[in-house]
Amino acid sequence: MGAHPSIEIGELPIGRPQNLFPAITQTAIGKLPKMTVHGADYDTRDGSCLRDFIHVSDIAHAHTLAIQFAEGKKNASNYEIFNLGTGNGVTVLEAINAFERVSGEKLNYEIGPRRAGDVIAIYANNDHAVQSLGWDIQYGIDDMMSTAWAWEQKLKAATAPTS
């Protein structure tokens, strides 16, 4: 999640975003009138679903390390599976709070009913990637929100009419 720290690359969903981060930033910038949090009665810290958000740069770094791992013939077979994630869940409401904290913007959202099929909590066990690749997380939720917000602001500036 988030955008590259250079703000040259970011997420640009077609149509209404299905991922949380662009839904948050597009709501904050005014592309969407309101965001819905689907359920607040789950068995989590604040009742909203818990997900394992990871910064796009941490994912890219893991891929680079995995290529080096394979080139060094450290893999036990023709393929290895690495779970990539922080290993810690962040709830939807915690993500919204992080956005509001780093952006200084108040997000227009409402609590709606649960969505069919949503799982309560899902997060990665990244032990294999950490131990085998020497991979570690460099970016936290505030970094993810900050770069995602900067990306959304850049998109708005790029499409703003010039006078």
Side-chain angles (χ1 to χ4, degrees), residues 41-97:
D41 60 348
Y42 291 97
D43 186 18
T44 62
R45 292 182 290 269
D46 59 21
S48 62
C49 289
L50 189 129
R51 300 291 181 261
D52 191 348
F53 301 110
I54 184 167
H55 195 276
V56 65
S57 294
D58 284 327
I59 295 256
H61 184 229
H63 282 82
T64 301
L65 292 172
I67 290 168
Q68 292 168 351
F69 182 82
E71 285 176 338
K73 302 192 184 325
K74 297 177 184 174
N75 43 320
S77 65
N78 289 336
Y79 64 90
E80 291 268 337
I81 297 172
F82 298 99
N83 287 324
L84 301 180
T86 64
N88 300 303
V90 173
T91 68
V92 172
L93 291 173
E94 288 169 344
I96 289 171
N97 290 336

Side-chain angles (χ1 to χ4, degrees), residues 22-32 99 105 107 149 151-157:
I24 287 173
T25 60
Q26 286 187 14
T27 301
I29 208 119
K31 288 181 183 175
L32 299 173
F99 172 80
E105 300 287 329
L107 192 66
W149 181 231
W151 169 251
E152 192 68 55
Q153 290 174 306
K154 180 179 180 173
L155 291 175
K156 183 176 183 176

Side-chain angles (χ1 to χ4, degrees), residues 1-2 11-38 53 92 95-96 99-100 105-110 115 144-145 148-149 151-152 155:
M1 307 273 84
E11 189 170 359
L12 184 58
I14 297 171
R16 189 170 186 89
Q18 298 301 308
N19 296 333
L20 181 62
F21 280 58
I24 287 173
T25 60
Q26 286 187 14
T27 301
I29 208 119
K31 288 181 183 175
L32 299 173
K34 184 183 282 188
M35 194 186 106
T36 301
V37 175
H38 300 285
F53 301 110
V92 172
I96 289 171
F99 172 80
E100 291 179 340
E105 300 287 329
K106 180 77 176 125
L107 192 66
N108 185 22
Y109 71 92
E110 65 186 3
R115 285 186 303 197
M144 290 179 240
M145 286 299 176
W149 181 231
W151 169 251
E152 192 68 55
L155 291 175

